[in-house]
Amino acid sequence: MNMQTSAVVAPPAPKGLAQMQLPIVMMRDILLKTMFRKNADMVSDIAAALCLPIPVTQELVDMAREQKLLEATGTLNANSGNEMGYQLTDAGRARALDALSQSEYYGAMPVPLDVYREQVERQSIRNIMVTRQQLTDAMGHLILPDSLLDHLGPAVSAGRSILMYGPPGNGKSSISNGIRDALGDCVYVPRAIEYAGQVITVYDPIVHTPAPEEAEDPNALRRPRRFDTRYVKCERPTVVTGGELSLSMLDLVYNPTARTYQAPLQLKSTGGIFIVDDLGRQAEPPQALVNRWIVPLEEGRDILALQSGEKFEVPFDTLVIFSTNFHPNEIFDQAALRRIFFKIKIDGPDQENFLKIFALVARKKGMRLDENTLVHLLKTKYPTIDNVYANYQPVFLIDQMMAICDFEGIPYEMSPDLIDRAWANMFVEDEEIVK
């Protein structure tokens, strides 16, 4: 039974300029810049470019006409449903150029930050309830002990920070991706937000995956409710960072040429997951990175700064997953550890689960299991490393054996000799190099 919360409530489309809650001059200038840059002259085309309903766009056009910045072309376009065309006047063109010199932003009208906050609450990651079945289904390709799901499930459902730690090669990254897949539903991501007259672009095609559009039923009595198209309906976002993560990547990015801002990674991941992989491999120490997250993790808000130095609050609604090969006590003080809500150790498999993984990988790759080879592996090879198993090893060993078979021109059949040759590539022995 799916216990997940019902579908996220969509942001309602504005019904008039008064509902937009944006500075009038800003909206007018974005209209003029968009018409200038896109050479749009029909209200329907302008509305599509601004991501606004046609009636709201018509209000904007009428206002600009009153200010002698736009004029009707006096011709009806038969290809556009007999729409009246509009064009910039000389004064309108001058105003558009002046506005572009202040900010190159045009197109989708931004969503005021306060309005966006309301939508974040409607689609909060903390409203999600993930069941054991959903988590199991999302991680069906992984062989995990039940005890691990016992810890993961409550952590994901709480929407709080998670620290996964343990020896390398045991699937911490795969588990993080499985958590992402278990979420399943969609959120609404603004193309851009506005604060203090500044535009901050949020929607990023690299981070956000638009949901498939629902086909309209022409026989339906009621048309589906239209949402505010200044947002893009997307799968819950996932941002994955690793050793390249730096503190500067968590700040607003200012483009001095376009004079616009781009949202930092954690704001783009709102309503979704932010994965910090390989914690401890970054240029900055882990303690410094976690210190940057303390206020957001505890209070659900983040502090960003404009070029002017003015600081302002944005919502922080993200499931943060830290993954490290170090023991937490080696890289954090106790105050930092206290701020991370769930600490989950990811160990290597026991022998039974190792054999299950080995058999599963062999079957997927089309290599027949051989009992003598498995006995040789478990009785001869693993005792040399104190019988420490890791989840990555079956894939590594089988891929190595297949590569050797390809080179030798023999069928994919495992043998003790092939295991010995594959094993030699899995570990580098300590030896002195003669210079």
Side-chain angles (χ1 to χ4, degrees):
M1 179 178 166
N2 190 330
M3 297 283 294
Q4 205 161 343
T5 52
S6 57
V8 166
V9 177
K15 291 186 169 58
L17 282 185
Q19 284 190 5
M20 295 288 290
Q21 300 180 45
L22 288 168
I24 286 288
V25 171
M26 179 186 209
M27 289 192 286
R28 182 205 67 192
D29 284 353
I30 290 177
L31 165 73
L32 299 177
K33 288 188 287 184
T34 302
M35 290 182 68
F36 181 82
R37 283 284 188 233
K38 287 186 165 282
N39 202 25
D41 57 359
M42 298 292 157
V43 171
S44 56
D45 293 337
I46 300 166
L50 296 176
C51 299
L52 291 178
I54 287 177
V56 179
T57 306
Q58 187 67 59
E59 270 191 79
L60 261 180
V61 167
D62 291 344
M63 182 185 70
R65 282 185 74 190
E66 287 173 13
Q67 296 177 9
K68 304 290 192 289
L69 300 171
L70 289 183
E71 61 187 3
T73 58
T75 55
L76 296 175
N77 190 321
N79 294 329
S80 302
N82 287 328
E83 275 191 67
M84 176 68 72
Y86 296 92
Q87 64 186 17
L88 298 170
T89 62
D90 289 343
R93 193 171 294 103
R95 179 59 210 159
L97 289 168
D98 186 43
L100 283 166
S101 71
Q102 295 172 44
S103 167
E104 269 285 341
Y105 185 83
Y106 64 92
M109 202 65 73
V111 177
L113 178 56
D114 287 341
V115 174
Y116 175 50
R117 277 198 188 95
E118 296 169 6
Q119 183 59 31
V120 170
E121 289 181 17
R122 287 193 283 262
Q123 61 194 28
S124 174
I125 189 77
R126 297 190 183 186
N127 295 341
I128 278 197
M129 180 64 69
V130 176
T131 65
R132 180 181 289 272
Q133 189 60 51
Q134 286 171 298
L135 211 50
T136 302
D137 290 347
M139 301 194 188
H141 60 299
L142 303 174
I143 292 175
L144 304 171
D146 289 339
S147 59
L148 179 56
L149 292 182
D150 292 343
H151 295 298
L152 274 179
V156 176
S157 290
R160 305 291 292 270
S161 52
I162 300 171
L163 171 65
M164 291 193 293
Y165 66 98
N170 284 310
K172 292 185 290 296
S173 300
S174 298
I175 291 168
S176 298
N177 293 331
I179 291 171
R180 172 198 64 198
D181 296 340
L183 298 183
D185 63 346
C186 294
V187 293
Y188 294 86
V189 178
R191 300 173 195 272
I193 57 177
E194 174 272 341
Y195 172 76
Q198 300 296 318
V199 176
I200 304 164
T201 57
V202 178
Y203 174 73
D204 181 344
I206 296 173
V207 171
H208 301 109
T209 304
E213 290 190 20
E214 297 174 16
E216 288 189 17
D217 181 357
N219 300 317
L221 293 176
R222 295 178 63 184
R223 286 184 156 228
R225 186 179 169 202
R226 296 290 185 187
F227 65 87
D228 187 343
T229 54
R230 290 178 296 167
Y231 294 82
V232 182
K233 187 178 182 181
C234 297
E235 296 173 9
R236 287 192 180 266
T238 301
V239 170
V240 183
T241 64
E244 78 283 0
L245 178 64
S246 64
L247 287 171
S248 63
M249 293 165 71
L250 305 178
D251 296 331
L252 278 176
V253 179
Y254 182 68
N255 183 329
T257 305
R259 295 178 182 81
T260 58
Y261 292 89
Q262 187 179 106
L265 293 173
Q266 71 275 21
L267 188 54
K268 290 179 180 179
S269 69
T270 298
I273 299 178
F274 192 113
I275 299 172
V276 183
D277 213 353
D278 282 332
L279 189 64
R281 305 290 182 199
Q282 292 77 16
E284 275 120 348
Q287 184 73 46
L289 287 169
V290 170
N291 285 348
R292 169 64 180 80
W293 295 87
I294 284 176
V295 170
L297 289 174
E298 288 196 337
E299 301 183 17
R301 61 187 180 89
D302 197 9
I303 310 294
L304 300 177
L306 299 173
Q307 282 288 103
S308 63
E310 181 183 352
K311 294 185 177 180
F312 63 104
E313 287 183 11
V314 293
F316 185 87
D317 186 76
T318 301
L319 172 61
V320 182
I321 301 176
F322 299 103
S323 171
T324 183
N325 299 332
F326 297 94
H327 192 281
N329 291 338
E330 293 177 25
I331 55 177
F332 297 127
D333 63 21
Q334 290 305 306
L337 276 177
R338 199 167 58 245
R339 263 83 180 203
I340 301 175
F341 211 68
F342 293 91
K343 275 81 74 175
I344 301 173
K345 188 176 184 188
I346 311 293
D347 270 323
D350 57 18
Q351 189 181 91
E352 181 185 354
N353 277 333
F354 171 83
L355 286 172
K356 284 182 183 176
I357 297 168
F358 197 93
L360 183 69
V361 173
R363 187 167 65 249
K364 278 185 177 177
K365 292 182 177 285
M367 178 167 263
R368 193 166 53 84
L369 290 173
D370 176 72
E371 186 176 347
N372 288 335
T373 303
L374 290 175
V375 169
H376 176 70
L377 180 63
L378 299 179
K379 300 297 184 185
T380 305
K381 308 311 289 185
Y382 271 97
T384 65
I385 58 167
D386 298 326
N387 294 310
V388 175
Y389 302 97
N391 283 308
Y392 80 93
Q393 292 165 352
V395 175
F396 186 94
L397 291 169
I398 290 169
D399 280 348
Q400 287 279 333
M401 286 190 287
M402 291 173 69
I404 296 168
C405 289
D406 286 337
F407 174 71
E408 302 288 0
I410 58 177
Y412 288 157
E413 290 186 354
M414 58 183 68
S415 68
D417 175 59
L418 284 176
I419 279 289
D420 286 343
R421 291 172 69 177
W423 186 271
N425 283 326
M426 195 158 68
F427 300 103
V428 177
E429 293 183 9
D430 290 330
E431 58 183 59
E432 190 172 334
I433 298 174
V434 179
K435 295 181 180 178

